[in-house]
Amino acid sequence: MCRQSATVCLAKSPSRQQRELLGTAARLAVLPDPRDRRGRRHTLTSVLLTAACAVLAGARSYLAIGQWGRHVPQDTLARLGFPMRGPLGVRRPASPSTLRRALTLVCPGGPADLLGHDPTGTESVAVDGKTARGSRTDAAPAAHLLSAVTAAGRAVSQLRVPDKTNEITGFTALLTPFDLTGTVVTADALHTQREHATWLVEVKKAHYLLVVKGNQPTLHTALKSLPWKEVTARRYDREAGHGRRETRSVRTLTVTGLGLDFPHVVQAAKILRHRTDLKTGKVTRQTAHAITDMTAREASPQLIGRLAKRPSTRPGCLLRLRLSRQLGGPLR
């Protein structure tokens, strides 16, 4: 069973060798087909590739996915893995009903783990949640996805947060299959939980850098009261982009022995951001506090400032580029 649901999926999390298979099609071939063997005309890999390409081309329904497959040329169907049939050797795509049946049966956890980047040896992994745009229906709320992304913007995996719960319940399930030894896991204030910190350090042998806000009032108050004005370990960075200019100051302080009630905490950081809107001239100021189990030698103010920046990525564009390269041409 999958770690995300009770539907048929990988019997266990994919191995590192399976994640490193060359080509998206080779990785998807690892997935067991949940359909009955009788009456299969198309492989599960072909169906999944068709759905992925159609959605990236703008399809928003099973019918639209089927129409996309019906109108692509024969060479595209060949790259998607559809065989020639009949005396004329015509390749026929999967019908909308076949696409709907396969996509509703297969668990999303399998493709997410197989197509993701293996984080072994990477410097950091950021955990963040986003609501999928356009996923809300009359009968169900919008899908909320919890994702793990490397500092280079490469997606590791993602899972859907069950309805009526929050991201906290999916944190360990998201990261359990991966080797995070020596990797710094960053997350926002929602995941600044004692259980998460203990699990990362003691079980996964990883490091953490967690933001502290008002949802942890005692810890937040203790961090604000630290002698930040006396701190000499600091870093200043300036950058411009996205229509704004930002100046960022990072101060770090070793807090062992200061009585902060949080597992394995060694350093605290205060991050002050000054942002100027280049169009309106409006200046905003934001202060954030963070904690980490890394020592001053392991994490300087410069490193903490870099890790605290969220990796920016557009998953759709990255997946589209990967598929177009591996299928041998641009997606139509």
Side-chain angles (χ1 to χ4, degrees), residues 115-327:
L115 299 182
H117 176 69
D118 189 349
T120 303
T122 58
E123 180 184 55
S124 65
V125 170
V127 177
D128 196 11
K130 298 292 182 183
T131 299
R133 182 183 302 176
S135 60
R136 179 178 298 174
T137 64
D138 295 336
H144 193 77
L145 305 176
L146 184 64
S147 305
V149 184
T150 66
R154 304 188 67 177
V156 176
S157 185
Q158 70 179 18
L159 57 81
R160 178 169 180 171
V161 178
D163 298 337
K164 299 182 180 180
T165 62
N166 56 35
E167 299 175 15
I168 298 176
T169 59
F171 184 86
T172 56
L174 176 70
L175 299 177
T176 292
F178 306 103
D179 181 10
L180 299 175
T181 304
T183 300
V184 182
V185 177
T186 65
D188 58 20
L190 183 63
H191 297 290
T192 306
Q193 307 290 330
R194 298 173 60 86
E195 296 79 8
H196 292 353
T198 302
W199 180 76
L200 286 172
V201 176
E202 298 181 5
V203 178
K204 302 301 289 184
K205 309 302 179 185
H207 300 290
Y208 66 79
L209 177 64
L210 303 174
V211 177
V212 180
K213 292 184 179 179
N215 61 324
Q216 296 279 355
T218 303
L219 182 60
H220 190 220
T221 301
L223 289 177
K224 291 174 62 177
S225 62
L226 292 175
W228 294 110
K229 292 184 178 180
E230 302 174 11
V231 173
T232 57
R234 62 183 66 183
R235 170 77 179 187
Y236 291 95
D237 290 301
R238 294 177 176 85
E239 61 182 24
H242 304 285
R244 66 191 182 198
R245 182 172 62 249
E246 178 176 297
T247 301
R248 184 171 56 255
S249 168
V250 181
R251 305 182 186 186
T252 59
L253 178 66
T254 300
V255 294
T256 51
L258 297 184
L260 286 184
D261 185 20
F262 201 83
H264 304 287
V265 63
V266 175
Q267 281 197 102
K270 181 178 181 180
I271 305 170
L272 180 61
R273 298 184 179 95
H274 288 271
R275 291 177 178 173
T276 303
D277 190 300
L278 298 180
K279 183 176 181 180
T280 64
K282 181 180 179 180
V283 179
T284 58
R285 175 179 175 178
Q286 182 183 22
T287 302
H289 294 86
I291 53 176
T292 180
D293 67 308
M294 295 181 289
T295 64
R297 288 190 175 185
E298 294 173 321
S300 63
Q302 180 181 5
L303 176 61
I304 289 180
R306 187 172 75 249
L307 295 177
K309 293 181 60 178
R310 291 287 179 182
S312 60
T313 180
R314 298 174 63 187
C317 293
L318 294 177
L319 181 56
R320 184 184 183 93
L321 180 60
R322 171 186 287 182
L323 286 173
S324 64
R325 285 177 176 176
Q326 294 181 354
L327 294 177

Side-chain angles (χ1 to χ4, degrees), residues 24-175:
T24 303
R27 297 187 185 185
L28 291 177
V30 177
L31 285 171
D33 197 329
R35 299 173 295 172
D36 193 292
R37 291 186 178 182
R38 294 175 297 178
R40 291 185 195 172
R41 299 185 61 187
H42 311 291
T43 65
L44 180 63
T45 301
S46 298
V47 172
L48 294 178
L49 287 176
T50 300
C53 293
V55 170
L56 292 175
R60 292 296 180 265
S61 66
Y62 295 111
L63 180 60
I65 294 173
Q67 291 175 343
W68 182 89
R70 192 182 306 121
H71 290 91
V72 296
Q74 289 288 299
D75 61 329
T76 300
L77 293 177
R79 296 199 298 270
L80 292 173
F82 291 100
M84 294 186 294
R85 298 184 184 278
L88 299 179
V90 177
R91 304 178 191 272
R92 298 186 180 277
S95 65
S97 60
T98 299
L99 290 162
R100 178 189 295 271
R101 184 169 60 255
L103 293 176
T104 54
L105 286 175
V106 71
C107 174
D113 286 346
L114 284 168
L115 299 182
H117 176 69
D118 189 349
T120 303
T122 58
E123 180 184 55
S124 65
V125 170
V127 177
D128 196 11
K130 298 292 182 183
T131 299
R133 182 183 302 176
S135 60
R136 179 178 298 174
T137 64
D138 295 336
H144 193 77
L145 305 176
L146 184 64
S147 305
V149 184
T150 66
R154 304 188 67 177
V156 176
S157 185
Q158 70 179 18
L159 57 81
R160 178 169 180 171
V161 178
D163 298 337
K164 299 182 180 180
T165 62
N166 56 35
E167 299 175 15
I168 298 176
T169 59
F171 184 86
T172 56
L174 176 70
L175 299 177

